[in-house]
Amino acid sequence: MMDNELLNLFKSYKEAGEYDLLVSFKGRLSQEVLTELGSLIRTSLSAEVKIKKIFAVFIELAQNMLHYSSERRTNEEMKEAGVGILAVRENSIGYQIASGNLVQNEKLDFLSERIQRINSMNKDELKSFYQQQLRAERPDDSKGSGVGLIDIARKSDGPLVFHFDTVDDNNSFFTISAFFTKEN
């Protein structure tokens, strides 16, 4: 049971400091919630030149959380989905889109190596790697063609930034973010 204690939003407001938090969500992600958050992003960034890229990266990060988070919850219709956190923030130079969720510790090396490999590539190499992955056999535990992280890197304006925080013997909290510079 939750007590009616003070939720210190002022602390969060101060911690936000030099950026505006455009979207923030923590919980069980569903297609319906994703649609609403996407609509909010489109409205908030309607004047931004890179809105399509920013929106696509947001959706990709959200879908990764939806499908691959090791923390799962079911809704009233017994549909299961991933639990995590998503945020889009803006400062004077650009936008940062980040997601975080639990992942099994056995997947950390794969994720780390994959992101480091992607970050080491230039735009032409990323395009080639993307095409190669589309033609490759789909990994057993993949819900797609394994190109999501590559696509995020292709669209963003810098390397993907990621971090793992150990939670317990089985899981770690995986945070990943992408950045876009402002053009208007």
Side-chain angles (χ1 to χ4, degrees):
M1 186 169 133
M2 186 184 312
D3 290 332
N4 189 16
E5 61 187 48
L6 179 65
L7 179 60
N8 193 342
L9 292 178
F10 182 61
K11 179 181 176 189
S12 298
Y13 179 82
K14 285 191 320 185
E15 288 173 355
E18 298 178 9
Y19 65 86
D20 290 329
L21 192 57
L22 302 178
V23 173
S24 178
F25 174 83
K26 191 261 181 212
R28 179 191 174 277
L29 192 62
S30 66
Q31 201 60 49
E32 296 79 22
V33 169
L34 186 53
T35 299
E36 290 300 318
L37 292 173
S39 179
L40 182 60
I41 288 172
R42 281 195 192 114
T43 301
S44 299
L45 301 177
S46 61
E48 175 58 46
V49 172
K50 296 180 180 179
I51 187 170
K52 287 182 182 177
K53 288 182 178 184
I54 293 169
F55 181 75
V57 166
F58 173 80
I59 294 298
E60 187 61 49
L61 287 174
Q63 287 179 335
N64 284 346
M65 186 177 95
L66 179 74
H67 296 301
Y68 299 116
S69 176
S70 61
E71 183 180 2
R72 315 294 294 169
R73 287 195 199 138
T74 54
N75 67 4
E76 307 78 45
E77 292 105 34
M78 300 309 289
K79 284 187 175 181
E80 187 180 78
V83 174
I85 188 165
L86 287 162
V88 179
R89 67 184 199 174
E90 174 186 10
N91 66 16
S92 61
I93 61 169
Y95 304 93
Q96 183 181 30
I97 299 114
S99 70
N101 57 267
L102 291 180
V103 294
Q104 296 171 343
N105 288 337
E106 64 196 38
K107 296 182 180 182
L108 299 184
D109 287 340
F110 170 79
L111 279 169
S112 181
E113 289 168 12
R114 178 79 165 197
I115 295 169
Q116 288 174 15
R117 180 177 179 194
I118 289 168
N119 281 343
S120 73
M121 296 180 185
N122 64 35
K123 293 293 183 185
D124 289 335
E125 292 168 329
L126 282 170
K127 182 179 179 180
S128 177
F129 188 42
Y130 181 87
Q131 296 295 329
Q132 175 188 343
Q133 288 300 119
L134 283 176
R135 291 187 296 271
E137 263 190 55
R138 183 178 179 173
D140 291 338
D141 61 347
S142 178
K143 307 279 191 269
S145 55
V147 296
L149 292 172
I150 303 165
D151 198 35
I152 293 169
R154 290 179 66 198
K155 287 178 170 63
S156 65
D157 290 334
L160 302 177
V161 178
F162 69 101
H163 182 75
F164 301 109
D165 291 289
T166 303
V167 174
D168 57 34
D169 290 342
N170 299 316
N171 294 290
S172 289
F173 192 81
F174 170 53
T175 304
I176 184 167
S177 68
F179 183 77
F180 295 86
T181 54
K182 286 186 176 181
E183 296 211 359
N184 49 331

